[in-house]
Amino acid sequence: MRTKRLTLLLAVLAAVVAVIRARRPEPAPAAPAGSASWPPLDLPTGTDTPASPDAPDSDPEDRPRTWVDPEPDGSCPLSHPIKLNEPSGIFHVPDGQFYARTKAERCYANAADAEADGFRASRR
């Protein structure tokens, strides 16, 4: 009796596997050796790289530096009051909840410059 149950269970399992395999789509044929796996990109005339719609206009390394170093005590000069905490990637504005206790690692003149460098505003 036990052998019959085990045989029946294995038969049902084999049938389920066969149904799953039958419904699975066939994989795409592999590209021949030495050929590119993706079609070439149509680049706009006069450029070397494709333009991404959400990419900044230029490489951050090519842009002029918009931040200044903080004072030795971690405060920012009046001309650049936005405090940035680099490890967290969060900047703090003067009226923010954690501004007073944040030790700046960079100071920005405005929030737009900090956001352009890839940082986000504090939520409080």
Side-chain angles (χ1 to χ4, degrees):
M1 185 70 160
R2 188 174 187 165
T3 307
K4 287 182 181 180
R5 281 189 201 165
L6 186 57
T7 304
L8 180 62
L9 179 63
L10 288 175
V12 169
L13 184 60
V16 169
V17 169
V19 168
I20 290 173
R21 285 187 179 170
R23 290 186 176 198
R24 201 183 294 172
E26 289 189 30
S35 68
S37 60
W38 294 96
L41 295 174
D42 293 329
L43 298 176
T45 307
T47 62
D48 294 339
T49 57
S52 173
D54 58 347
D57 292 337
S58 63
D59 185 12
E61 299 294 324
D62 295 339
R63 292 182 328 164
R65 185 172 135 173
T66 57
W67 54 275
V68 297
D69 290 320
E71 303 296 328
D73 66 349
S75 64
C76 287
L78 294 176
S79 63
H80 290 71
I82 308 294
K83 292 182 179 180
L84 171 73
N85 181 298
E86 277 187 284
S88 69
I90 297 173
F91 64 87
H92 301 271
V93 294
D95 60 346
Q97 180 179 1
F98 301 111
Y99 184 83
R101 62 180 170 183
T102 299
K103 184 175 180 181
E105 290 156 3
R106 285 187 187 181
C107 300
Y108 286 91
N110 55 54
D113 289 340
E115 288 173 349
D117 281 349
F119 302 108
R120 70 170 182 84
S122 171
R123 293 189 180 129
R124 299 178 198 194

